Amino acid sequence: MSTPQIEIQLIAVVVAIACAIPGVFLVLRKMALISDAISHSILPGIVLGFLITHDLNSPLLILFAAIFGVITVVLVEAIQKTGLVKEDTAIGLVFPVLFSIGVLLIAKNANDVHLDIDAVLLGELAFAPFDRLLIGDQDFGTKSLWVMGTILISTCILLFMFFKELKVSTFDAGLSSALGFSPIVLHYGLMSVSSITVVGAFDAVGAILVVALMIAPAAAAYLLTSNLKKMMILSILFGIISALGGYWLAHFLDASISGSITTILGILFLIVYLTAPKKGLISVLIMHRQQKKEVMLLTFMLHLNNHTETTERHINHLNEHINWHKINSKKILDLALKNNLILINNEIVSLTDKGQEFTNLAIDYIVTNTDEKIEHMKDDFFLFRG
Amino acid sequence: MKNPIAVRVDDLTVAYNYKPVLWDIDLEIPEGVLMAIVGPNGAGKSTLIKSILGIIKPIAGSITIFDKPYKKQRKHVAYVPQKGSVDWDFPTTAQDVVLMGTYGDLGWIKRPGAKEKKQALEALEKVGMLSFKNRQISQLSGGQQQRIFLARALVQNASIYFMDEPFQGVDASTEIAIINILKELRKSGKTVVVVHHDLQTVPEYFDWVTFLNVKKIATGPVKDIFNDDNLTKTYGINYKVAINK
């Protein structure tokens, strides 16, 4: 690998991690679309900053852009508060207007410089190694990496310091406020960090794809874990995988790096969506099938419970009586046998002690709808997991 | 009045979009009572609690907790919000939610350590939820979720507890478990204020009651003021309730 190749991958990884961290909280706060809005409406901030400094890497650009990011959030909330439109409409109203102001500003004032719409939308990761930080004659590496690295380190420090506060205000804003952790301060803190990250990442992956880097890793991680810290780690991991995978996909396809990264993100999410152990599509389908089977089992056992006479409990009779298909009946019988719930003696089925207890508890649950007593059954049976 | 005043509300008016939800409320909550706040839907019961806790900014009035503003008394106050106010799909466990109750004492930046974790486990045990400590919160029943919220308030080890409909959507056994804990709190000298819906149980559960319907209708000991007259004034219809002796 050549040095520029390593540098590009390094930038992609740093951008991915920096995006994944605020992304987790945006997803949990159901604010994914806000990141889309921010990524577009920071454009006028960037252009204004550029017009003042004439330097695309000036910190002033990032500051201006971040201010516009926060303005976006304020405007969306102000419009929403009128009660006249819902949040999604408010978002749809605010960011195109701000973005278009940025587009007009570029067209009127910055036509002759490297700040064209393509670069804004898709980023120019492949060119990042050309833009170097030079102090005197000394080459300190790519500017992009310095900018994103600084943003990432600041984000990590803030995350480390305020993890608990972000957690409680995301989960329960009322409690957070009562405990003295102002949800408003935390909200705007998060929005500022998101804006700054978007601005930094924007140079590398563009305004559209930065949204994918924020949302997709967090959304995939959300399906895999019920622990916030693990969700954070998984998101970061997904970000890194897609950054590196995307780079090499682009390399072999000779295509856009940011496009490839996003494609990998989409594929990653799809795989997780299908195969996640608990929330994934396949598991859910299996669980539904299992639940159906268990409902049948329960029906069968209630029948046994209701009938002491042997004619009602003969294997063949059951087939006709409960009106199930033979295959189904066999499956249910097998399941009951496997779980030690029934005994079959001379083709007469009867409940075991365990089966009797199970049936009593189940009846109790159905009648009273209180589930304290069936807690221990939840481990064995999907049916009772609600 | 024999007890000192735990919470004093003076001339409180709260409005949403310029429409008053609470109008000129004067209220004194004596220390050591177990108080129900009752009133019809939209009476401002939750709003009253949220205003006392500084979650909602009133347009007029003042509130003190043991004669000081809430901001200075935060550590003496615990809060149980309505169960529906949070997203139970949040990736966290029962123990972790209870641990949030210790955040107030810790303040900014500092993280919960072994001591806080032990407190959380003790609180879980008190509400009978210790064996569920590692369960993801969406995997708990409504009653269990409410117990977790109660445990989170207990861990705050406060002097005053505000609870917003803790009996909503819980089964009978959880309701009994919760009320027993509330009565225990009162016994140990704490003040407990509960937004309550089931008028039938007011005389049995509480010793103090506030009738609220945008304005304050009445407040005082249940045995003195829990009567048809106040119920009718609050609910607008002749409310027949079986008052248990």
Side-chain angles (χ1 to χ4, degrees):
Chain A
M1 269 191 282
S2 64
T3 318
Q5 279 186 319
I6 294 171
E7 279 174 346
I8 290 173
Q9 289 178 66
L10 206 56
I11 293 169
V13 166
V14 171
V15 168
I17 299 173
C19 287
I21 293 171
V24 166
F25 289 105
L26 292 178
V27 166
L28 288 177
R29 287 165 174 247
K30 301 177 179 64
M31 295 181 66
L33 269 180
I34 278 281
S35 69
D36 193 19
I38 291 175
S39 71
H40 285 73
S41 50
I42 54 171
L43 185 60
I46 292 178
V47 181
L48 280 179
F50 179 75
L51 291 177
I52 294 169
T53 61
H54 286 277
D55 174 8
L56 265 180
N57 287 304
S58 157
L60 204 63
L61 245 75
I62 293 178
L63 184 72
F64 268 59
I67 290 169
F68 268 85
V70 175
I71 288 176
T72 311
V73 179
V74 173
L75 283 177
V76 167
E77 279 166 7
I79 294 178
Q80 198 189 338
K81 243 182 215 156
T82 62
L84 299 173
V85 297
K86 297 264 182 288
E87 187 188 13
D88 53 346
T89 313
I91 290 174
L93 286 168
V94 170
F95 84 81
V97 173
L98 291 174
F99 185 70
S100 60
I101 292 173
V103 171
L104 291 180
L105 280 175
I106 293 180
K108 290 305 284 179
N109 302 300
N111 248 343
D112 51 337
V113 293
H114 158 70
L115 189 65
D116 53 80
I117 305 293
D118 268 5
V120 165
L121 290 178
L122 298 170
E124 297 281 9
L125 198 49
F127 299 149
F130 297 125
D131 198 6
R132 311 201 72 82
L133 182 70
L134 299 169
I135 297 174
D137 282 341
Q138 189 78 28
D139 181 356
F140 283 92
T142 59
K143 270 189 191 170
S144 242
L145 195 55
W146 280 101
V147 173
M148 268 330 281
T150 311
I151 291 173
L152 175 60
I153 289 166
S154 322
T155 304
C156 287
I157 292 170
L158 286 170
L159 176 74
F160 194 75
M161 283 169 72
F162 300 114
F163 184 75
K164 154 179 131 254
E165 289 79 0
L166 277 166
K167 180 158 89 176
V168 66
S169 77
T170 303
F171 174 62
D172 189 342
L175 179 81
S176 179
S177 167
L179 291 177
F181 308 118
S182 163
I184 297 165
V185 170
L186 288 159
H187 174 68
Y188 282 106
L190 178 64
M191 288 305 123
S192 305
V193 168
S194 303
S195 301
I196 291 169
T197 309
V198 168
V199 189
F202 163 103
D203 208 22
V205 293
I208 296 179
L209 303 182
V210 66
V211 179
L213 276 175
M214 288 211 150
I215 304 311
Y222 181 70
L223 297 180
L224 286 174
T225 176
S226 49
N227 177 309
L228 183 55
K229 276 182 193 154
K230 281 185 194 150
M231 181 175 168
M232 196 68 86
I233 292 165
L234 280 173
S235 295
I236 291 171
L237 211 65
F238 287 146
I240 295 172
I241 293 171
S242 57
L244 296 178
Y247 174 80
W248 287 104
L249 181 68
H251 184 81
F252 289 119
L253 293 178
D254 194 18
S256 142
I257 297 173
S258 51
S260 304
I261 291 176
T262 314
T263 306
I264 298 274
L265 276 172
I267 294 169
L268 257 178
F269 180 79
L270 186 68
I271 293 170
V272 170
Y273 170 68
L274 291 175
T275 61
K278 272 184 197 150
K279 296 179 190 163
L281 187 66
I282 294 170
S283 318
V284 168
L285 286 178
I286 291 173
M287 193 177 86
H288 281 175
R289 256 189 62 174
Q290 188 68 23
Q291 280 181 333
K292 201 178 148 198
K293 221 161 102 182
E294 285 169 7
V295 170
M296 291 174 87
L297 172 70
L298 195 58
T299 313
F300 171 54
M301 295 195 9
L302 289 179
H303 179 79
L304 289 177
N305 189 51
N306 285 342
H307 295 281
T308 44
E309 58 275 34
T310 49
T311 49
E312 284 283 343
R313 298 193 279 123
H314 192 275
I315 286 186
N316 291 334
H317 188 78
L318 285 173
N319 243 330
E320 299 149 23
H321 201 99
I322 307 188
N323 209 8
W324 284 338
H325 202 272
K326 271 214 157 129
I327 303 166
N328 271 338
S329 308
K330 177 147 184 356
K331 258 197 239 158
I332 301 306
L333 277 178
D334 287 347
L335 181 67
L337 276 174
K338 202 184 92 196
N339 281 292
N340 249 336
L341 296 170
I342 56 166
L343 279 174
I344 303 180
N345 239 337
N346 293 330
E347 306 210 311
I348 302 294
V349 190
S350 53
L351 290 171
T352 60
D353 286 348
K354 188 183 168 198
Q356 189 64 51
E357 193 203 335
F358 176 89
T359 314
N360 292 344
L361 285 173
I363 293 171
D364 194 46
Y365 171 63
I366 292 164
V367 174
T368 61
N369 213 15
T370 59
D371 57 356
E372 248 92 276
K373 286 185 202 153
I374 57 155
E375 264 319 323
H376 64 281
M377 287 153 71
K378 287 186 178 179
D379 296 331
D380 299 329
F381 294 93
F382 287 100
L383 184 58
F384 301 110
R385 286 184 212 167
Chain B
M1 211 162 291
K2 61 187 195 327
N3 290 351
I5 301 302
V7 183
R8 189 191 302 273
V9 176
D10 283 317
D11 307 325
L12 177 74
T13 297
V14 180
Y16 291 135
N17 294 324
Y18 310 108
K19 184 177 169 282
V21 193
L22 289 175
W23 209 328
D24 200 31
I25 305 285
D26 292 306
L27 179 66
E28 285 178 352
I29 304 176
E31 187 180 17
V33 298
L34 178 48
M35 176 196 268
I37 300 178
V38 298
N41 291 330
K45 304 183 294 287
S46 297
T47 307
L48 176 60
I49 286 192
K50 286 182 185 165
S51 309
I52 293 172
L53 295 166
I55 299 171
I56 292 176
K57 259 203 149 91
I59 57 173
S62 69
I63 294 155
T64 55
I65 311 260
F66 292 119
D67 296 323
K68 282 182 196 155
Y70 173 72
K71 273 187 181 173
K72 292 198 172 152
Q73 302 285 43
R74 235 172 225 141
K75 287 181 182 173
H76 300 295
V77 179
Y79 172 46
V80 178
Q82 271 184 38
K83 195 161 65 67
S85 67
V86 306
D87 174 14
W88 290 94
D89 283 324
F90 193 85
T92 192
T93 58
Q95 186 184 354
D96 216 31
V97 171
V98 178
L99 206 53
M100 288 180 191
T102 66
Y103 288 5
D105 264 348
L106 288 167
W108 289 86
I109 299 173
K110 238 174 115 186
R111 286 150 177 260
K115 181 182 142 219
E116 283 76 20
K117 281 179 187 145
K118 196 171 148 252
Q119 289 173 338
L121 290 177
E122 283 165 6
L124 275 168
E125 173 139 51
K126 221 177 257 175
V127 300
M129 289 290 294
L130 191 57
S131 51
F132 299 95
K133 64 181 172 147
N134 291 324
R135 189 163 297 177
Q136 208 273 320
I137 51 172
S138 67
Q139 302 292 315
L140 299 167
S141 71
Q144 291 169 338
Q145 291 173 343
Q146 197 65 63
R147 286 178 193 222
I148 293 298
F149 261 16
L150 181 61
R152 190 178 70 178
L154 291 178
V155 106
Q156 287 182 255
N157 199 16
S159 316
I160 310 176
Y161 291 78
F162 291 97
M163 308 197 176
D164 205 341
E165 300 197 24
F167 303 115
Q168 193 188 38
V170 307
D171 52 49
S173 65
T174 300
E175 179 157 338
I176 292 165
I178 293 176
I179 195 65
N180 283 339
I181 290 171
L182 299 192
K183 285 180 173 171
E184 230 172 81
L185 284 173
R186 178 187 51 191
K187 227 186 246 169
S188 59
K190 316 271 186 183
T191 310
V192 184
V193 181
V194 178
V195 170
H196 193 56
H197 254 306
D198 182 9
L199 294 169
Q200 306 272 354
T201 52
V202 169
E204 190 187 334
Y205 291 173
F206 301 94
D207 57 5
W208 213 264
V209 64
T210 295
F211 290 95
L212 191 71
N213 191 357
V214 185
K215 290 179 157 201
K216 183 190 78 182
I217 312 291
T219 186
V222 170
K223 60 178 174 13
D224 297 342
I225 68 156
F226 194 71
N227 52 37
D228 268 1
D229 186 31
N230 280 327
L231 284 165
T232 307
K233 271 188 205 158
T234 308
Y235 289 87
I237 46 166
N238 195 2
Y239 224 101
K240 288 286 171 210
V241 210
I243 298 178
N244 304 326
K245 284 279 146 76

